[in-house]
Amino acid sequence: MRLVDVRELPLDGIESTADGGLRIGATVTNSDLAAHPEVRRRYPALAQAVLAGASGQLRNMATVGGNLLQRTRCGYFTDLSKPCNKRAPGTGCSAVEGEHHNHAILGATEHCVAIHPSDMAVALAAFDAVVTYESADGTGQLPLAAFYLPVGDTPHLETALPAGALITGVILPPAPVAAHSRYRKVRERASYAFAIGSITGALDVRDGVVREVRLAFGPSRPGRGGTGGRAGPDRGARRTPRRSPPPRSAELAAARPLPHNAYKVTLLRNLVVALLTELTEEAAR
Amino acid sequence: MAPSTTSALTLNINGEKHTLSVDHRTTLLDALRERLDLTGTKKGCDQGQCGACTVLIDGRRAVSCLQLAVAAEGREITTIEGVADGDRLHPVQQAFLDLDGFQCGYCTPGQICSAIAMIEEHAAGWPSAATEDVRPEAGVPELTAEEIRERMSGNLCRCGAYVSIVQAVAEAARAEEEAV
Ligand SMILES: Cc1cc2nc3c(=O)[nH]c(=O)nc-3n(C[C@H](O)[C@H](O)[C@H](O)COP(=O)(O)OP(=O)(O)OC[C@H]3O[C@@H](n4cnc5c(N)ncnc54)[C@H](O)[C@@H]3O)c2cc1C
Ligand code: SF4
Ligand code: FES
Ligand code: FES
């Protein structure tokens, strides 16, 4: 067995693609991603989401590949005295009857309600990012929507990445609407804490008409149990040309909260209204 | 053959080379404190949550408790012991002294290392979560108290000396800007 530091690999570039998107290498640090002029210009919510995560020190160390693959788990996962389907499949989920005020309301099942804490992934979900990887069998791609597996009754299986695969990067398709995007995060203290609710919104208004709205919610359970296969961090309204926001979000309507995290449904609803109001005002300026 | 569990490595710390053999799992923090007697770097939580162990790696701030020593080989590491210029304190150290940026002092080495790099990040034009408009056209945000609090949020202070820490960092940033 060998210990390899993948940060040394030459996968630390950010470059424009021929069609006007961006290709971000897997070992790009969160700091470099958030500081990059083209990210800030074309996908500002992505820069904001990354900056809202962890701390300056941690963002200098954390990479794009590692952030996507941070383990989805809750406090019970590391408490060996308690059952946990993720740690020991079939033993039960301690959070459902126990402490769960920060757990997922979207994409969770009774088998596991832990959240994927990545802020970055919430913005990537709104922008239809594609994860690229390399394995012994060659190269492959997975849209972020298919990257995280639905929870179902197999919470210990988290991603569709083939065993032994190395993430090489993330591709952001061109998205003019992304230039008018924002990320908002609510947490239990002002900074340096995981989200209890967050949202990426993008709004394209031309001649007073809303052409496109995009919403993605976090922190969410990667993989949506029950309501179909779209993986989270949840993507809300897709390309819905509508005359007036806010769009009705099928994702929020499908939320399945537990007693102590039901407040999050209201919180996310309020975030949708606040963010779309901000974006609408910005468009009017 | 039994698998090897240790590595011999050379660490470049504060401009000096140190050769040692460590268990692969040794963090940079433990190597500094327990093996090299560089105890200025503090251990608060040992899991990335407090910032007490902040050092500079290739000039960037990082928490040494989440960094394996074996992965720090070949990098330039600066600890609190190495930030002064001989007898002349680093401007951030001086500002912490002048403005009482500490009480017990336990978080202080981490605060100072963090602030040194943070001031450079700001000078390089990096936005923060407190920056209203992150687009490059919006320019570099002024280093207000709110910006400093956000940018320094990875360094907790159990004594709650935040008010003077923010003042000290602002003063050091101002002094460095003048010096340029
Ligand atoms: C105190 C604290 C607060 C935090 N707060 C936040 C927060 O608010 N928001 C947030 O989003 N995150 C937060 N984080 C999480 C942090 O962002 C992640 O720890 C970080 O992004 C992980 O990135 P890494 O590169 O260090 O990955 P590692 O921890 O090194 O790796 C994670 C996993 O991914 C694997 N891996 C890494 N790169 C690749 C690759 N290229 N291909 C295949 N596998 C790979 C590793 O083997 C490992 O299994 C916080 C962390 C801490 C410690
Ligand atoms: S929520 Fe998931 S990680 Fe937490 S106890 Fe339940 S199964 Fe385990
Ligand atoms: S000891 Fe490293 S962050 Fe607390
Ligand atoms: S001065 Fe005591 S912990 Fe900060």
Side-chain angles (χ1 to χ4, degrees):
Chain A
M1 197 137 68
R2 293 191 74 157
L3 182 62
V4 177
D5 185 357
V6 296
R7 286 183 304 179
E8 304 279 335
L9 294 173
L11 296 170
D12 59 351
I14 299 180
E15 59 208 38
S16 292
T17 53
D19 60 2
L22 280 183
R23 184 181 297 111
I24 302 162
T27 63
V28 169
T29 64
N30 285 358
S31 298
D32 287 331
L33 178 60
H36 197 276
E38 287 309 313
V39 174
R40 289 155 62 191
R41 186 174 291 126
R42 293 196 241 165
Y43 306 89
L46 175 57
Q48 288 178 324
V50 171
L51 290 169
S55 67
Q57 289 94 317
L58 294 165
R59 291 192 296 272
N60 276 340
M61 309 171 82
T63 61
V64 168
N67 189 284
L68 287 174
L69 286 181
Q70 53 185 306
R71 192 81 198 259
T72 305
R73 81 269 177 205
C74 81
Y76 293 113
F77 177 79
T78 43
D79 179 351
L80 298 181
S81 70
K82 299 285 195 309
C84 168
N85 283 327
K86 172 157 298 245
R87 172 171 26 84
T91 55
C93 170
S94 296
V96 170
E97 299 274 306
E99 159 56 46
H100 59 243
H101 78 285
N102 273 341
H103 288 59
I105 57 166
L106 298 168
T109 71
E110 70 272 26
H111 301 285
C112 180
V113 288
I115 55 169
H116 189 278
S118 171
D119 291 292
M120 180 187 80
V122 180
L124 291 181
F127 302 144
D128 289 337
V130 175
V131 179
T132 61
Y133 63 85
E134 208 169 305
S135 72
D137 298 330
T139 59
Q141 297 199 340
L142 280 167
L144 196 67
F147 182 76
Y148 297 110
L149 295 170
V151 182
D153 56 2
T154 52
H156 57 292
L157 304 175
E158 293 188 358
T159 73
L161 203 61
L166 179 82
I167 297 180
T168 49
V170 166
I171 295 173
L172 283 174
V177 66
H180 311 282
S181 64
R182 273 177 187 246
Y183 183 72
R184 281 194 46 171
K185 174 175 180 180
V186 179
R187 37 192 161 182
E188 288 176 333
R189 57 185 189 196
S191 184
Y192 198 17
F194 290 106
I196 53 175
S198 70
I199 182 173
T200 300
L203 185 69
D204 184 11
V205 183
R206 263 173 283 163
D207 307 323
V209 175
V210 175
R211 308 277 173 172
E212 187 174 350
V213 183
R214 293 197 191 184
L215 293 175
F217 303 109
S220 170
R221 199 25 236 264
R224 296 169 38 72
T227 56
R230 178 129 39 91
D234 278 78
R235 166 77 180 280
R238 289 172 64 91
R239 268 180 216 101
T240 35
R242 271 168 208 274
R243 282 181 186 274
S244 59
R248 297 163 70 85
S249 164
E251 266 73 12
L252 272 191
R256 303 201 316 179
L258 293 164
H260 302 299
N261 64 9
Y263 74 95
K264 287 192 178 191
V265 179
T266 317
L267 188 144
L268 285 184
R269 261 199 203 113
N270 290 346
L271 271 178
V272 173
V273 175
L275 194 80
L276 287 177
T277 305
E278 263 178 49
L279 288 167
T280 311
E281 283 169 3
E282 200 176 286
R285 273 202 289 274
Chain B
M1 202 176 79
S4 130
T5 57
T6 58
S7 292
L9 76 165
T10 302
L11 293 177
N12 185 350
I13 304 163
N14 303 327
E16 255 178 64
K17 290 205 176 345
H18 300 262
T19 299
L20 66 166
S21 163
V22 297
D23 183 297
H24 300 319
R25 299 163 295 183
T26 309
T27 60
L28 177 59
L29 176 60
D30 284 341
L32 290 171
R33 288 182 56 85
E34 311 295 335
R35 303 293 306 283
L36 301 170
D37 216 19
L38 289 164
T39 53
T41 306
K42 302 298 185 217
K43 183 184 282 191
C45 66
D46 214 15
Q47 46 184 309
Q49 290 179 345
C50 76
C53 65
T54 303
V55 298
L56 306 179
I57 301 180
D58 289 338
R60 288 196 173 183
R61 51 183 172 159
V63 288
S64 55
C65 67
L66 295 186
Q67 169 77 46
L68 290 176
V70 288
E73 191 165 34
R75 315 221 169 241
E76 255 179 58
I77 300 153
T78 307
T79 67
I80 190 68
E81 289 90 346
V83 299
D85 179 8
D87 284 342
R88 231 182 71 231
L89 292 181
H90 188 283
V92 176
Q93 288 178 303
Q94 191 61 52
F96 268 71
L97 271 182
D98 293 346
L99 290 158
D100 283 334
F102 53 87
Q103 284 182 32
C104 78
Y106 196 79
C107 72
T108 314
Q111 300 275 3
I112 289 174
C113 286
S114 184
I116 290 171
M118 183 279 272
I119 291 168
E120 281 176 23
E121 291 167 6
H122 175 258
W126 290 15
S128 85
T131 307
E132 177 49 29
D133 189 348
V134 298
R135 284 174 288 204
E137 290 71 26
V140 186
E142 198 189 326
L143 207 47
T144 58
E146 196 199 348
E147 282 280 352
I148 292 173
R149 281 177 178 274
E150 166 56 33
R151 289 167 191 260
M152 291 294 293
S153 69
N155 292 85
L156 304 189
C157 172
R158 277 199 60 181
C159 299
Y162 296 112
V163 173
S164 9
I165 291 172
V166 171
Q167 286 171 352
V169 173
E171 168 59 22
R174 198 192 53 73
E176 282 187 30
E177 213 169 86
E178 260 174 27
V180 178

